[in-house]
Short mmCIF file of all heavy atoms in Angstrom, two decimals:
data_model
loop_
_atom_site.label_atom_id
_atom_site.label_comp_id
_atom_site.label_asym_id
_atom_site.label_seq_id
_atom_site.Cartn_x
_atom_site.Cartn_y
_atom_site.Cartn_z
N GLU A 87 1.23 8.85 19.49
CA GLU A 87 0.60 10.11 19.06
C GLU A 87 -0.14 9.83 17.75
O GLU A 87 0.29 9.00 16.93
CB GLU A 87 1.53 11.28 18.94
CG GLU A 87 2.59 11.15 17.92
CD GLU A 87 3.42 12.35 17.69
OE1 GLU A 87 3.24 13.38 18.37
OE2 GLU A 87 4.26 12.37 16.75
N THR A 88 -1.27 10.52 17.61
CA THR A 88 -2.02 10.47 16.33
C THR A 88 -1.81 11.86 15.70
O THR A 88 -2.05 12.85 16.31
CB THR A 88 -3.52 10.32 16.61
OG1 THR A 88 -3.68 9.17 17.47
CG2 THR A 88 -4.29 10.07 15.35
N ASP A 89 -1.32 11.84 14.44
CA ASP A 89 -1.12 13.18 13.89
C ASP A 89 -2.45 13.74 13.28
O ASP A 89 -3.49 13.05 13.41
CB ASP A 89 -0.01 13.12 12.81
CG ASP A 89 -0.41 12.44 11.50
OD1 ASP A 89 -1.59 12.12 11.35
OD2 ASP A 89 0.46 12.24 10.65
N PHE A 95 1.90 7.18 15.49
CA PHE A 95 3.30 7.03 15.74
C PHE A 95 3.58 6.54 17.16
O PHE A 95 2.95 7.11 18.07
CB PHE A 95 4.08 8.35 15.59
CG PHE A 95 4.07 8.92 14.13
CD1 PHE A 95 2.99 9.64 13.67
CD2 PHE A 95 5.14 8.63 13.31
CE1 PHE A 95 2.99 10.08 12.31
CE2 PHE A 95 5.13 9.13 11.97
CZ PHE A 95 4.05 9.84 11.55
N TRP A 97 6.54 6.30 19.83
CA TRP A 97 7.87 6.89 19.91
C TRP A 97 8.69 6.22 21.02
O TRP A 97 8.19 6.08 22.13
CB TRP A 97 7.78 8.37 20.23
CG TRP A 97 7.36 9.17 19.03
CD1 TRP A 97 6.09 9.64 18.74
CD2 TRP A 97 8.16 9.60 17.91
NE1 TRP A 97 6.07 10.33 17.56
CE2 TRP A 97 7.31 10.30 17.02
CE3 TRP A 97 9.53 9.41 17.59
CZ2 TRP A 97 7.83 10.88 15.81
CZ3 TRP A 97 9.98 9.95 16.43
CH2 TRP A 97 9.14 10.64 15.56
N ASP A 100 12.42 11.13 22.43
CA ASP A 100 11.61 12.41 22.34
C ASP A 100 11.54 12.86 20.91
O ASP A 100 12.53 13.24 20.28
CB ASP A 100 12.38 13.49 23.21
CG ASP A 100 11.70 14.80 23.08
OD1 ASP A 100 10.56 14.90 22.54
OD2 ASP A 100 12.27 15.78 23.56
N PRO A 101 10.35 12.78 20.33
CA PRO A 101 10.19 13.20 18.95
C PRO A 101 10.65 14.58 18.63
O PRO A 101 11.13 14.89 17.57
CB PRO A 101 8.69 13.05 18.64
CG PRO A 101 8.02 12.77 19.95
CD PRO A 101 9.05 12.36 20.96
N ALA A 102 10.55 15.44 19.61
CA ALA A 102 10.93 16.87 19.44
C ALA A 102 12.43 17.02 19.17
O ALA A 102 12.91 18.02 18.67
CB ALA A 102 10.54 17.71 20.63
N ALA A 103 13.21 15.97 19.54
CA ALA A 103 14.63 16.01 19.35
C ALA A 103 14.99 16.06 17.87
O ALA A 103 16.08 16.54 17.45
CB ALA A 103 15.34 14.88 20.04
N GLY A 104 14.09 15.55 17.01
CA GLY A 104 14.30 15.65 15.55
C GLY A 104 15.23 14.56 15.04
O GLY A 104 15.74 13.71 15.81
N ASP A 105 15.40 14.58 13.74
CA ASP A 105 16.24 13.61 13.01
C ASP A 105 15.94 12.14 13.35
O ASP A 105 16.80 11.31 13.48
CB ASP A 105 17.73 13.91 13.32
CG ASP A 105 18.64 13.29 12.28
OD1 ASP A 105 18.22 13.10 11.15
OD2 ASP A 105 19.82 12.97 12.61
N ALA A 106 14.62 11.91 13.58
CA ALA A 106 14.15 10.57 14.00
C ALA A 106 14.30 9.57 12.89
O ALA A 106 14.30 9.88 11.70
CB ALA A 106 12.66 10.68 14.43
N VAL A 107 14.47 8.31 13.33
CA VAL A 107 14.44 7.20 12.43
C VAL A 107 13.07 6.52 12.63
O VAL A 107 12.75 6.08 13.73
CB VAL A 107 15.58 6.18 12.80
CG1 VAL A 107 15.52 4.98 11.83
CG2 VAL A 107 16.91 6.85 12.67
N VAL A 108 12.26 6.51 11.54
CA VAL A 108 10.89 6.01 11.65
C VAL A 108 10.78 4.79 10.70
O VAL A 108 11.31 4.76 9.58
CB VAL A 108 9.89 7.12 11.22
CG1 VAL A 108 8.47 6.57 11.32
CG2 VAL A 108 10.04 8.28 12.17
N ARG A 147 19.22 8.81 18.30
CA ARG A 147 18.14 9.54 17.58
C ARG A 147 16.82 8.94 18.02
O ARG A 147 16.75 7.71 18.31
CB ARG A 147 18.27 9.28 16.05
CG ARG A 147 19.59 9.80 15.49
CD ARG A 147 19.83 9.29 14.08
NE ARG A 147 18.95 9.83 13.07
CZ ARG A 147 19.10 9.55 11.73
NH1 ARG A 147 20.01 8.72 11.33
NH2 ARG A 147 18.23 10.11 10.87
N PRO A 148 15.73 9.75 18.07
CA PRO A 148 14.45 9.10 18.43
C PRO A 148 14.01 8.08 17.37
O PRO A 148 14.40 8.26 16.18
CB PRO A 148 13.45 10.28 18.39
CG PRO A 148 14.26 11.50 18.09
CD PRO A 148 15.68 11.16 17.81
N VAL A 149 13.34 7.03 17.77
CA VAL A 149 12.93 5.97 16.86
C VAL A 149 11.42 5.84 17.00
O VAL A 149 10.90 5.93 18.13
CB VAL A 149 13.63 4.64 17.20
CG1 VAL A 149 13.20 3.54 16.34
CG2 VAL A 149 15.15 4.80 17.21
N ALA A 150 10.71 5.65 15.88
CA ALA A 150 9.27 5.45 15.98
C ALA A 150 8.84 4.34 15.07
O ALA A 150 9.41 4.11 14.01
CB ALA A 150 8.57 6.76 15.66
N LEU A 172 0.01 14.11 4.98
CA LEU A 172 1.06 14.50 5.82
C LEU A 172 2.12 15.35 5.06
O LEU A 172 2.57 16.38 5.52
CB LEU A 172 1.75 13.28 6.47
CG LEU A 172 3.09 13.43 7.12
CD1 LEU A 172 3.01 14.29 8.43
CD2 LEU A 172 3.74 12.08 7.49
N ASP A 209 1.71 18.71 7.22
CA ASP A 209 2.21 18.81 8.58
C ASP A 209 3.70 18.95 8.51
O ASP A 209 4.45 18.02 8.93
CB ASP A 209 1.81 17.58 9.36
CG ASP A 209 1.73 17.76 10.82
OD1 ASP A 209 2.33 18.75 11.29
OD2 ASP A 209 1.16 16.92 11.50
N PRO A 210 4.24 20.10 7.96
CA PRO A 210 5.65 20.19 7.76
C PRO A 210 6.54 20.07 8.96
O PRO A 210 7.61 19.55 8.91
CB PRO A 210 5.84 21.57 7.05
CG PRO A 210 4.54 22.30 7.21
CD PRO A 210 3.46 21.27 7.54
N GLN A 211 6.01 20.54 10.11
CA GLN A 211 6.81 20.45 11.33
C GLN A 211 6.98 18.99 11.75
O GLN A 211 8.11 18.60 12.08
CB GLN A 211 6.14 21.17 12.50
CG GLN A 211 6.38 22.71 12.35
CD GLN A 211 5.64 23.50 13.36
OE1 GLN A 211 4.62 23.03 13.88
NE2 GLN A 211 6.09 24.73 13.60
N ARG A 212 5.87 18.19 11.68
CA ARG A 212 6.03 16.81 12.04
C ARG A 212 6.97 16.04 11.02
O ARG A 212 7.79 15.25 11.44
CB ARG A 212 4.66 16.12 12.08
CG ARG A 212 4.61 14.86 12.90
CD ARG A 212 3.18 14.34 12.94
NE ARG A 212 2.26 15.31 13.47
CZ ARG A 212 1.97 15.40 14.76
NH1 ARG A 212 2.43 14.54 15.61
NH2 ARG A 212 1.06 16.32 15.15
N LEU A 213 6.78 16.39 9.77
CA LEU A 213 7.61 15.75 8.80
C LEU A 213 9.08 16.11 8.96
O LEU A 213 9.99 15.22 8.81
CB LEU A 213 7.11 16.29 7.42
CG LEU A 213 7.65 15.58 6.17
CD1 LEU A 213 7.30 14.10 6.16
CD2 LEU A 213 7.06 16.28 4.92
N ALA A 214 9.34 17.35 9.36
CA ALA A 214 10.75 17.78 9.52
C ALA A 214 11.45 17.09 10.66
O ALA A 214 12.66 17.05 10.73
CB ALA A 214 10.79 19.30 9.77
N ARG A 215 10.67 16.43 11.57
CA ARG A 215 11.28 15.72 12.68
C ARG A 215 11.82 14.38 12.22
O ARG A 215 12.57 13.72 12.98
CB ARG A 215 10.31 15.50 13.80
CG ARG A 215 9.68 16.77 14.32
CD ARG A 215 8.87 16.59 15.59
NE ARG A 215 7.94 15.38 15.55
CZ ARG A 215 6.86 15.23 16.24
NH1 ARG A 215 6.50 16.20 17.06
NH2 ARG A 215 6.07 14.21 16.13
N ILE A 216 11.45 13.96 11.07
CA ILE A 216 11.79 12.59 10.58
C ILE A 216 13.07 12.69 9.70
O ILE A 216 13.09 13.42 8.72
CB ILE A 216 10.65 11.93 9.81
CG1 ILE A 216 9.35 11.90 10.62
CG2 ILE A 216 11.04 10.54 9.30
CD1 ILE A 216 8.15 11.42 9.88
N GLY A 217 14.14 12.00 10.13
CA GLY A 217 15.37 12.05 9.43
C GLY A 217 15.63 10.90 8.51
O GLY A 217 16.46 10.94 7.58
N ALA A 218 14.85 9.80 8.70
CA ALA A 218 14.95 8.60 7.80
C ALA A 218 13.72 7.80 8.01
O ALA A 218 13.18 7.75 9.12
CB ALA A 218 16.19 7.79 8.13
N VAL A 394 12.12 12.71 2.65
CA VAL A 394 12.99 12.12 3.72
C VAL A 394 13.82 11.01 3.07
O VAL A 394 13.29 10.23 2.21
CB VAL A 394 12.08 11.49 4.85
CG1 VAL A 394 12.83 10.73 5.85
CG2 VAL A 394 11.21 12.56 5.45
#
Side-chain angles (χ1 to χ4, degrees):
E87 64 173 4
T88 308
D89 75 6
F95 293 84
W97 287 100
D100 177 8
D105 200 26
V107 178
V108 179
R147 299 167 71 177
V149 179
L172 165 68
D209 202 342
Q211 282 174 337
R212 200 177 303 268
L213 190 58
R215 300 187 319 203
I216 305 175
V394 173

